[in-house]
Amino acid sequence: MKKLKTIFVAAGIGLLAISVFFFSSFSSTKKNKATYRTTYRSIPRGCVFLTLMGEESSVGSFAYKTPEKVAASIEKGLTWIVRAQHPSGGWGAGSHSRQDVMDPHAVQPDPATTSMVAMALLRTGTTLHSGLYSAELKRALDYILREVERASDKSTTITDLAGTQIQIKLGSNIDVIMASQFLSNLLSSDDLDSQLKTQVKKALNTCVSKIQRAQEANGSISGSGWAGVLQSSFATNALESAQAQGAKVDNDALNKARDFQKGNYDAKTGNVNTSMGAGVSLYSVTGSARASAKEARKVEEEISKAKREGKLSQNAPASAESLEKIGYDKDDAMKYSTAYNVYNSAKVQAQRDEVMDGFGSNGGEEFLSYLQTGESMIISKDNTWDTWYNNISGRMLKIQNDDGSWSGHHCITSPVFCTATSLLILSVSNDADKLIELGNNK
């Protein structure tokens, strides 16, 4: 039975009323009664609701006043997903062999899914010390730290679980990759006391070491699943984020990871290497865009600066020749111009309807790919981001389930994993400042 409640959100100078539908329990878990701790909460500065509702701007052109229906969609998704948490603090996607099990409490928790949910809580305004779901976030962190700290030093992963939906479809090392990304995101929130920060940094370095040991000679990550290119792409992102937080990242390993992702797309011909992407262009092309975003931004900024200073003509292209004129050596000029071309071509490809359709229906792999496109566009300070967001937010709202969750229709079907990823997509502008900082070339 649906119950209509009104949440009053304290936002800056005023009070916003957002009416959203809450459901009394998971339909498949009759024991769980709905419990709501409060109907009023103060939203921390920078939270998704302030940005989405126009009370506070995010960074630059990524300030975006999203319709109230998107904020209501996010609230419904959050309400659903926090009730899916296990007593251990984790969340689970379930096994590949039992994809029909959609009850989030009837599956085992796993680090990859837990990390995705925890990142969604962070992005939508929860911290360890504030927000409606801070208790859930603390329990999630405790779960991840336990998994990392008890993992064998010789292993490339952090869990004894095998055969999960996420592992079979993305790769056997996806748990440590997602955990690494979560720990980096948490460190960037500046919400940890000195003791906890030391513990989290140690766990992050453990994860980074495991990821780098799992790297193949070509830059990909071993243990590739059905869409292993996504595992490798998220490993690249994880190493990039960890490096920004001061973790012990090998530059050669990070460059190899980026080169592998960029190499899956030929900007001149538009050909996509889908050999590790289940034959689906979307999975490969979004990884190429994400891996080249930072370097593409560097080219754009330095070419623009050279034009302002009169070192290049106003119609000079962002080519290897132009980069050599402003001081790049031949090898670097070719490397950066290639990255620039890959990004600008791949991000267009990634937004074509026939490419966005992915495998032909919505699965967790599609949602992950959409997330990569949005983050890459913010990292590169791409001013066409709002066009992408208008399109993707419309798509996501149309496929949200009545109970507030999202679920996949192939491969990664888990409603928990798909809901976490969908929340990260819809609230991506809330991390605009962090993503733009990640794209800075120091």
Side-chain angles (χ1 to χ4, degrees):
M1 179 178 177
K2 295 178 181 178
K3 293 183 179 180
L4 183 63
K5 286 182 178 273
T6 301
I7 292 182
F8 292 97
V9 183
I13 61 172
L15 198 65
L16 294 175
I18 303 175
S19 294
V20 295
F21 285 102
F22 291 136
F23 287 73
S24 59
S25 65
F26 289 110
S27 59
S28 57
T29 312
K30 295 180 180 179
K31 293 181 180 179
N32 290 348
K33 301 291 185 182
T35 56
Y36 306 107
R37 287 185 294 278
T38 182
T39 55
Y40 176 89
R41 61 171 166 149
S42 295
I43 301 298
R45 179 174 176 78
C47 166
V48 65
F49 291 96
L50 301 188
T51 302
L52 291 176
M53 302 310 294
E55 292 293 327
E56 176 183 328
S57 292
S58 189
V59 176
S61 62
F62 303 100
Y64 193 82
K65 187 174 181 179
T66 306
E68 290 188 20
K69 61 185 179 181
V70 177
S73 170
I74 291 171
E75 189 70 57
K76 285 176 66 176
L78 286 169
T79 302
W80 185 90
I81 208 165
V82 294
R83 296 210 310 265
Q85 190 174 30
H86 287 244
S88 66
W91 281 267
S95 70
H96 171 66
S97 62
R98 290 300 310 275
Q99 288 180 264
D100 58 310
V101 178
M102 303 299 278
D103 179 351
H105 293 288
V107 300
Q108 286 186 276
D110 64 78
T113 304
T114 301
S115 297
M116 290 297 287
V117 178
M119 287 189 283
L121 295 180
L122 281 172
R123 181 165 285 181
T124 53
T126 290
T127 75
L128 292 175
H129 303 295
S130 63
L132 190 60
Y133 307 122
S134 60
E136 286 84 356
L137 182 60
K138 287 176 184 176
R139 288 165 57 204
L141 174 59
D142 288 343
Y143 170 86
I144 292 298
L145 290 175
R146 285 197 306 271
E147 293 296 295
V148 173
E149 289 167 0
R150 71 184 184 187
S152 168
D153 291 339
K154 298 178 181 179
S155 171
T156 57
T157 188
I158 57 171
T159 181
D160 294 330
L161 276 178
T164 68
Q165 286 189 34
I166 317 306
Q167 291 168 346
I168 297 299
K169 296 306 177 184
L170 303 183
S172 60
N173 292 302
I174 192 62
D175 294 276
V176 69
I177 290 165
M178 294 305 191
S180 176
Q181 185 69 66
F182 163 54
L183 295 172
S184 291
N185 289 6
L186 190 67
L187 286 169
S188 73
S189 71
D190 197 27
D191 189 41
L192 291 74
D193 60 39
S194 58
Q195 183 176 351
L196 183 56
K197 183 176 286 189
T198 298
Q199 186 180 11
V200 171
K201 282 187 173 181
K202 181 179 179 181
L204 176 59
N205 277 314
T206 297
C207 290
V208 166
S209 177
K210 289 176 178 291
I211 293 169
Q212 292 179 163
R213 287 208 310 275
Q215 190 177 50
E216 303 279 17
N218 66 354
S220 68
I221 299 297
S222 64
S224 177
W226 181 77
V229 69
L230 287 170
Q231 175 181 250
S232 294
S233 182
F234 278 86
T236 307
N237 306 346
L239 291 177
E240 194 172 72
S241 296
Q243 186 180 62
Q245 295 306 316
K248 299 173 183 176
V249 175
D250 185 320
N251 273 324
D252 289 340
L254 179 54
N255 286 329
K256 280 171 59 178
R258 286 176 177 149
D259 288 345
F260 171 76
Q261 294 300 137
K262 289 182 290 187
N264 286 320
Y265 183 71
D266 187 330
K268 291 182 179 178
T269 64
N271 291 333
V272 184
N273 178 4
T274 62
S275 60
M276 287 183 64
V280 180
S281 295
L282 177 69
Y283 309 158
S284 295
V285 77
T286 58
S288 297
R290 177 66 177 81
S292 56
K294 183 172 181 175
E295 292 171 335
R297 174 175 157 190
K298 178 180 175 72
V299 171
E300 182 70 37
E301 291 176 343
E302 295 195 359
I303 291 290
S304 295
K305 180 183 177 183
K307 289 179 179 180
R308 290 195 304 272
E309 295 175 348
K311 296 178 181 178
L312 289 174
S313 65
Q314 292 304 305
N315 61 353
S319 63
E321 182 180 9
S322 294
L323 291 174
E324 285 189 66
K325 285 182 179 178
I326 61 174
Y328 282 66
D329 65 37
K330 189 170 184 177
D331 288 342
D332 279 349
M334 182 58 68
K335 170 188 170 182
Y336 279 96
S337 65
T338 297
Y340 179 84
N341 291 331
V342 166
Y343 169 76
N344 281 285
S345 182
K347 61 111 175 190
V348 171
Q349 286 282 81
Q351 295 177 76
R352 290 171 53 199
D353 286 341
E354 62 270 31
V355 175
M356 291 184 73
D357 286 343
F359 191 64
S361 60
N362 296 307
E365 296 88 341
E366 276 69 27
F367 298 149
L368 288 170
S369 298
Y370 302 155
L371 177 63
Q372 290 209 116
T373 301
E375 290 191 348
S376 68
M377 295 181 78
I378 295 178
I379 287 169
S380 65
K381 299 180 74 172
D382 192 319
N383 289 328
T384 65
W385 174 87
D386 57 347
T387 300
W388 169 83
Y389 188 82
N390 277 331
N391 182 16
I392 200 63
S393 60
R395 279 176 173 256
M396 301 309 295
L397 265 62
K398 286 179 182 177
I399 61 175
Q400 187 174 20
N401 297 324
D402 288 341
D403 63 3
S405 68
W406 282 264
S407 52
H409 299 135
H410 74 86
C411 296
I412 299 177
T413 58
S414 163
V416 177
F417 191 88
C418 291
T419 300
T421 311
S422 298
L423 290 170
L424 285 165
I425 293 167
L426 290 176
S427 59
V428 65
S429 67
N430 202 46
D431 273 344
D433 52 349
K434 294 177 183 178
L435 290 167
I436 288 172
E437 176 64 24
L438 185 62
N440 283 341
N441 291 277
K442 298 175 181 179

